[in-house]
Amino acid sequence: MTEERLIIPRKTINKFFLTIAVGVILLILGIILMAAGGGADHGEGHGEAAAAGHEAASWTKRLFMNLWLNNVYFTGISLIGVFFVAVQYVAYAGWSVLIKRVSEAMGYYLPIGFGVMLLVFLFGGHDIFHWTHDYLYDINDERYDPIIAGKSGYLNFWFFLIRMIIFFALWILFFNWLRRNSINEDLQGGTSFYHKSIRISAMFLVVFGVSSSMAAWDWVLSIDTHWFSTMFGWYVFASWFVSGLSVITLTVIILKQNGYLKLVNANHLHDLGKFVFAFSIFWTYIWFSQFMLIWYANIPEESIYFLDRLDDHYTWIFFTNLLINFVFPFLVLMTRDAKRQMIMLKIVTIAILIGHWLDFYLMMMPGTMRGDAGIGFIEIGTTLIFLGVFLLVFTKGLTKASLVPVNHPFLEESVHHHV
């Protein structure tokens, strides 16, 4: 089997840089508008804030929130690339060998994700996390909060930082370990690297199971410090996973349309389509389970989370979230034919990626920005910058090795895959 090398045209790289440049311009424009007009970037929120009797959120707070939101989103997608590879190894899966290099390359964003997350937490932690304020723990201060003080054993600056460093260190270590074995297999052949990768993957999945849930509590759930949900780790995982699957599917289609991955056929696309379909329903199941239990019990300290998100300011996002992430993929991908058509999969995966960005927006913004949030130049600009950076790193990762893992023991099975 001959190897297949990806060459990224200069024109495509320029498009990625243009995406970043447009993002920077929009971000600066948004900051100028907000600094000058006090929340005028989205044309609303400032008046609401004044009416509610509190000061409108500053542009720095909004900037830090957007940096955090996008970094958590893209870090999760990157991590899912590694998770997908590990699951295929542990399951002894043969069908996915031809698309393995796509999910492998997603992991290259992890070091950037770590750098951004560290800097944003160190410089913007107070804006993002209410629990980082010292006065909450001082019993003599009138702003003392017994609930948050009770969580100080887990939610404190140094322990939070140590957890973040440990998670990223482990994820990057396992990513590099699996990637190195995969490339060595290309060069040297044999089955020893394959069996070694299975053992590494098994270890990684244990680490992932614990760390991804804890990361969800730390980076997303602790924004609403008083509220908690025992399903939240699953919820964030489901959102990350379906986004990651969409990136894999979309990339495979784009590569195929550009003359690469010649051996990938409609059967591989069908399986990817089934994954996207199934895990969109899984995400909805988790969403409904969490919502229904809280709605049914109607305990004030639990229901406040959803009341904030059903507030006039977020209502349209709340329902759009369900529409894009469940109703749309469910109806479009229901038939066998739809899962085998590139155009259908392309439309659905792009919609899902936008939909789950909105999902993370809804998880984070109401807890910090309250009624001052919006989707304006700052949001679009920040997202475009992250998208451009992710695409640059991801595509560079794809060029570093053959798109076809030429010496993988299950390559023949993948080539003749039929469903």
Side-chain angles (χ1 to χ4, degrees), residues 146-166:
I147 294 173
I148 295 176
K151 298 181 180 184
S152 62
Y154 184 81
L155 281 182
N156 61 74
F157 177 84
W158 287 109
F159 191 28
F160 184 95
L161 201 60
I162 289 163
R163 287 196 302 274
M164 184 196 291
I165 292 165
I166 289 170

Side-chain angles (χ1 to χ4, degrees), residues 69 73 235 239 243 283 314 316-322 324-325 351-366 375:
L69 158 67
Y73 179 66
Y235 183 76
S239 202
S243 305
W283 171 84
Y314 297 101
W316 73 270
I317 301 177
F318 188 87
F319 290 106
T320 304
N321 186 26
L322 281 175
I324 298 181
N325 294 328
I352 283 172
L353 287 168
I354 295 166
H356 281 282
W357 183 91
L358 283 173
D359 189 30
F360 275 95
Y361 181 94
L362 202 57
M363 283 187 240
M364 295 185 193
M365 290 297 182
I375 295 180

Side-chain angles (χ1 to χ4, degrees), residues 370-390:
R370 306 293 172 198
D372 299 324
I375 295 180
F377 291 138
I378 292 179
E379 282 69 25
I380 296 164
T382 316
T383 307
L384 287 175
I385 293 167
F386 273 88
L387 177 64
V389 170
F390 180 81

Side-chain angles (χ1 to χ4, degrees), residues 30 47 93 102 128 130 228 271 280 297 354 374 381 390:
V102 173
I128 301 165
H130 181 55
F228 71 93
D271 276 352
S280 291
I354 295 166
F390 180 81

Side-chain angles (χ1 to χ4, degrees), residues 1-205:
M1 204 66 68
T2 53
E3 62 173 43
E4 215 178 296
R5 288 277 173 173
L6 174 66
I7 297 158
I8 306 287
R10 186 74 234 171
K11 196 168 68 176
T12 306
I13 293 169
N14 289 342
K15 278 181 187 170
F16 298 158
F17 279 114
L18 182 65
T19 304
I20 296 169
V22 171
V24 170
I25 292 163
L26 287 175
L27 179 59
I28 292 167
L29 185 61
I31 288 169
I32 291 167
L33 282 171
M34 197 170 172
D41 176 26
H42 49 86
E44 56 186 320
H46 184 55
E48 290 173 25
H54 72 268
E55 198 181 325
S58 63
W59 67 264
T60 49
K61 183 173 188 171
R62 190 160 168 186
L63 174 64
F64 281 129
M65 274 312 299
N66 276 286
L67 291 170
W68 190 261
L69 158 67
N70 282 289
N71 198 47
V72 168
Y73 179 66
F74 282 102
T75 297
I77 287 173
S78 178
L79 180 61
I80 290 300
V82 188
F83 172 75
F84 186 82
V85 171
V87 167
Q88 303 308 309
Y89 272 120
V90 170
Y92 288 84
W95 74 274
S96 58
V97 172
L98 284 170
I99 60 165
K100 183 168 88 90
R101 288 283 152 83
V102 173
S103 47
E104 264 180 17
M106 286 158 69
Y108 278 105
Y109 179 81
L110 286 172
I112 293 172
F114 174 52
V116 173
M117 198 162 280
L118 195 60
L119 290 171
V120 175
F121 178 65
L122 292 176
F123 292 102
H126 280 338
D127 284 323
I128 301 165
F129 300 106
H130 181 55
W131 58 263
T132 55
H133 296 278
D134 292 334
Y135 58 75
L136 296 166
Y137 308 93
D138 181 1
I139 201 157
N140 299 313
D141 195 298
E142 59 181 15
R143 295 166 295 181
Y144 171 74
D145 190 317
I147 294 173
I148 295 176
K151 298 181 180 184
S152 62
Y154 184 81
L155 281 182
N156 61 74
F157 177 84
W158 287 109
F159 191 28
F160 184 95
L161 201 60
I162 289 163
R163 287 196 302 274
M164 184 196 291
I165 292 165
I166 289 170
F167 296 159
F168 274 103
L170 287 168
W171 296 343
I172 292 165
L173 169 80
F174 277 105
F175 160 67
N176 286 324
W177 204 358
L178 281 168
R179 180 69 169 170
R180 203 165 48 243
N181 268 312
S182 184
I183 290 170
N184 284 339
E185 186 180 68
D186 273 12
L187 300 171
Q188 297 173 37
T191 57
S192 63
F193 292 110
Y194 174 73
H195 292 298
K196 206 182 291 179
S197 295
I198 292 171
R199 291 194 292 274
I200 296 165
S201 297
M203 287 187 282
F204 171 74
L205 290 177

